[in-house]
Each structure stands twice: as C-alpha cells, then as structure tokens.
Amino acid sequence: MKKTSTRLADGRELIYYDLRDDAVREAVDRRPLEPTVTTSGIRRDALLGDQVAIASHRQGRTYHPPADECPLCPSRDGRLSEIPDATYDVVVFENRFPSLVGDFGRCEVVCFTSDHDASFADLTEEQAGLVLDAWTDRTAELSHLPAVEQVFCFENRGAEIGVTLGHPHGQIYAYPFTTPRTALMLRSLAAHLEATGGENLFDTVVARELADQRVVLEGEHWVAFVPYAAHWPYEVHLYPRRRVPDLLALDEAARTEFPQVYLELLRRFDRIFDGGTGGGSAAGEPPTPYIAAWHQAPFGTLEEFEGVSRDDFALHLELFTIRRTSGKLKFLAGSESGMNVFINDVPPEAAARRLREVASS
C-alpha cells in the first residue's frame, strides 16, 4: 500500500491509498472553494446522560446529484470533484459537511472505488483489503488527535438508509467521547467480569453462538452469526476468532482472510430477497440497504468501567438491513424510537438459515 496525503482547495486533508507503490498523486484541486464554515457542537442530555451533535450547516449538503455530477467520482473530462486526480483506488478526505469538527472530533469520507456504479460487494479481495488498510491507518492517525476518544468506521448503503450520494463510500467518525452503545457494552463487560470472577463476556457470547444454530459462515480466523437477540430483521455480527480491541491489533492472517469472508457476507445480503437467483433483488427491487458498523475499543480512559481494560473489548463488525421482507422496511416506531425496545419480526434462527441458503455463486 502507498499512502499520499494532500490538501483540497479549501484546506481539507485528502489521502490516496494505492495498491501500486509507483502511483504518483500530484493533481491539484483547481476548484475555487472558500474555506469551510461549520457550526458543529456537542450538547449533553441531562436526563439520558448521552451527547447530541448539533450541526445546522449540514442542511446544505449535496443531495442525490445526478451521476455525472457526483462529487466522489474522479476529476476528469473537464469536471472537477472532491478527488482531484483522474483515477484512484481508495481515497479518504475530510467531510465538507461534518457532524463533528475541531474540538468536537472529526468526520471523514472513505471512497471504496472510483467506479460509480459498483458497490463494496463488487470489489476484488485485493481492493477490499486496501479498504481495510485504509480503515486501520485512519484509526491509528485519528486516535492521536487530542479531541478523539473513539473511532467509528461505517458504511450506509441505500436510499432507504438515508444515503445522499450513490457512489460506493463509507464514513469515519472520530468522537470526543465514548459512544452510548459502546458504554453499554463496557458496562455489561464489567458486570460479567465481576460476576464470573474474570470471564470475558465477548468470549462467552462468541462461544455460545458457535455452539448454536445461528452461525452463517466460518473461516479459519473469522466467524459470522446472527445474534441470539438480534434487533434487526437480518443482522450479522462478524468477529475475529482471536479477540483484539481494534483494527490495529489484527494479525496478518486475519487481515488476509477478512476480504474473503466479508465480501461473501455482503453478496449474501444482496440475495436475501431475490429467491436465491442472484442479481440482488426481486421484481426490480433495489439492492438490499444496509449499515455496516465497526465496533472498536475507545482510546480514552475506561476508569468508569471498573476492572475493564481496552484488551477486554472485542473488535467486531455489525451488518444489518432495515428491510424485513421484499418491498417492506422495518421502521423504528413507538416502542423502538420512544423506549428503545426493539421488536423483531424475523426470528434470528430463520434469518441465519436464510443467509446460509443464499450462498453466493
């Protein structure tokens, strides 16, 4: 992997990640951009104890542009975009409309490929491996920023999820706090450590799933399963077999196998609702919308979670779709949105069975 860092016309950082060591990245951003103006701030909810990012400037962000005006495509044929070069493998740059900025963290965009019409599932194993390298490098770099306590790499895919740009891409949020979801995991981890005299909860969960009927696929270094208490109609958790706290700690064997396992999972997701015939949808239905979310240990202090260290946390990826059946979405209505009590219409065992049935061809 070759890494080349440059600056866009408004001062934002852009980084090329190339498969070839001889790649040359000298293109200059020729757009007449003014420096970005952001209004991001963090407010704490006194009753719930969590934080809310207030970012009114995001109302003006780019919204579903036509393909020939996509800001994530390379700059070519006289059209200038966020990526100055005419080609790229993987690119990461500071979001022009960030939810978090400065003392409140940082937001970045990750472009998986220059091919506007592709998806992550269309990548080769080599390309997917390069994305993993980019995620890992950005986790390392962002963890050194004074304001950053947790790094979150994720992909939103599909208009149903709220994606405003169709180009295959993900994002990285660097939070100035430990996120509420991670804090819940750490509290459960601490309670289990105390109750069992030192047993790790993540290890217990993975061992239980491996012994049950919800495993979707297994590799030598990774295992994927539908969790016992899945919140979403089709939800898969992907764990390395050797517990590590973050992407930085993955060994070479796990890094090598990851693209094989992850691409297979994504391709199965695109076949859930098509009767197993391929093509990603039934009766012209759009490809399966999903969220893919990496969970990594915070880099800040864990003093409030008594007895827990970073090494006790287990890196894992959660992949889920909001589509519950063909043509129907799972909406977060009263119980979910009002009380955070999920109601799942698809039994996890049935979801796992379906995901085993649709092994990609």
Side-chain angles (χ1 to χ4, degrees):
M1 179 190 77
K2 182 179 180 181
K3 175 183 175 183
T4 306
S5 181
T6 186
R7 291 282 172 180
L8 296 174
D10 56 7
R12 288 175 294 133
E13 185 177 18
L14 179 143
I15 307 159
Y16 294 97
Y17 293 90
D18 286 292
L19 290 167
R20 292 169 53 102
D21 290 336
D22 60 352
V24 177
R25 300 298 183 184
E26 297 178 341
V28 176
D29 185 6
R30 295 182 284 112
R31 296 173 298 169
L33 295 181
E34 296 292 330
T36 56
V37 177
T38 61
T39 56
S40 295
I42 301 292
R43 299 183 182 182
R44 183 179 182 276
D45 186 310
L47 293 179
L48 298 180
D50 59 8
Q51 295 82 8
V52 178
I54 308 297
S56 60
H57 63 279
R58 284 173 53 79
Q59 288 280 30
R61 65 188 185 275
T62 307
Y63 186 79
H64 291 301
D68 61 356
E69 297 180 16
C70 175
L72 306 186
C73 287
S75 292
R76 58 170 67 130
D77 301 326
R79 190 182 68 82
L80 304 178
S81 73
E82 289 280 66
I83 296 90
D85 215 320
T87 64
Y88 67 83
D89 290 336
V90 173
V91 167
V92 176
F93 60 89
E94 289 184 76
N95 198 321
R96 192 177 178 187
F97 304 96
S99 302
L100 309 165
V101 67
D103 292 339
F104 299 112
R106 176 158 157 152
C107 293
E108 298 182 339
V109 176
V110 184
C111 299
F112 302 140
T113 172
S114 60
D115 185 352
H116 181 85
D117 297 318
S119 69
F120 201 118
D122 296 321
L123 301 182
T124 66
E125 290 182 12
E126 186 179 35
Q127 290 173 311
L130 183 61
V131 176
L132 177 62
D133 290 340
W135 283 332
T136 304
D137 181 73
R138 297 315 301 154
T139 296
E141 293 293 328
L142 293 170
S143 71
H144 295 309
L145 296 180
V148 172
E149 188 166 313
Q150 186 172 2
V151 178
F152 175 46
C153 307
F154 65 100
E155 179 191 3
N156 297 329
R157 193 259 199 135
E160 300 94 330
I161 298 293
V163 173
T164 59
L165 296 175
H167 195 103
H169 73 287
Q171 299 180 67
I172 302 175
Y173 277 20
Y175 297 102
F177 49 79
T178 297
T179 62
R181 188 173 177 86
T182 303
L184 286 174
M185 294 184 196
L186 291 170
R187 292 189 188 101
S188 295
L189 181 60
H192 191 78
L193 282 169
E194 182 179 6
T196 61
E199 183 180 284
N200 186 281
L201 178 59
F202 287 107
D203 293 348
T204 300
V205 167
V206 173
R208 181 182 67 188
E209 296 293 352
L210 283 171
D212 219 313
Q213 56 182 315
R214 290 176 299 277
V215 173
V216 174
L217 62 89
E218 298 183 64
E220 183 178 354
H221 304 284
W222 295 86
V223 58
F225 55 84
V226 177
Y228 171 74
H231 289 57
W232 299 94
Y234 291 91
E235 174 182 341
V236 174
H237 292 190
L238 176 63
Y239 279 77
R241 289 184 183 271
R242 183 179 71 88
R243 172 166 45 86
V244 294
D246 53 39
L247 291 167
L248 304 173
L250 286 174
D251 60 26
E252 194 58 35
R255 300 183 69 82
T256 299
E257 187 182 73
F258 170 77
Q260 305 165 26
V261 176
Y262 187 49
L263 290 172
E264 172 67 13
L265 274 180
L266 292 180
R267 290 162 186 166
R268 291 192 190 193
F269 258 59
D270 268 347
R271 296 168 63 89
I272 296 173
F273 305 105
D274 71 354
T277 60
S281 62
E285 190 169 49
T288 304
Y290 65 73
I291 292 175
W294 279 109
H295 292 266
Q296 305 190 79
F299 288 95
T301 177
L302 300 182
E303 291 179 358
E304 65 178 292
F305 309 103
E306 188 173 350
V308 173
S309 70
R310 287 195 80 249
D311 288 338
D312 292 320
F313 194 86
L315 167 76
H316 62 284
L317 182 142
E318 297 183 7
L319 172 68
F320 61 90
T321 179
I322 63 171
R323 187 176 291 164
R324 56 187 175 88
T325 189
S326 182
K328 297 179 181 179
L329 300 181
K330 164 65 177 177
F331 292 103
L332 299 189
S335 185
E336 291 89 354
S337 295
M339 284 295 169
N340 201 29
V341 178
F342 275 67
I343 301 170
N344 190 353
D345 300 326
V346 180
E349 293 74 19
R353 184 167 57 251
R354 177 60 181 157
L355 285 163
R356 288 194 298 267
E357 290 172 352
V358 295
S360 63
S361 57

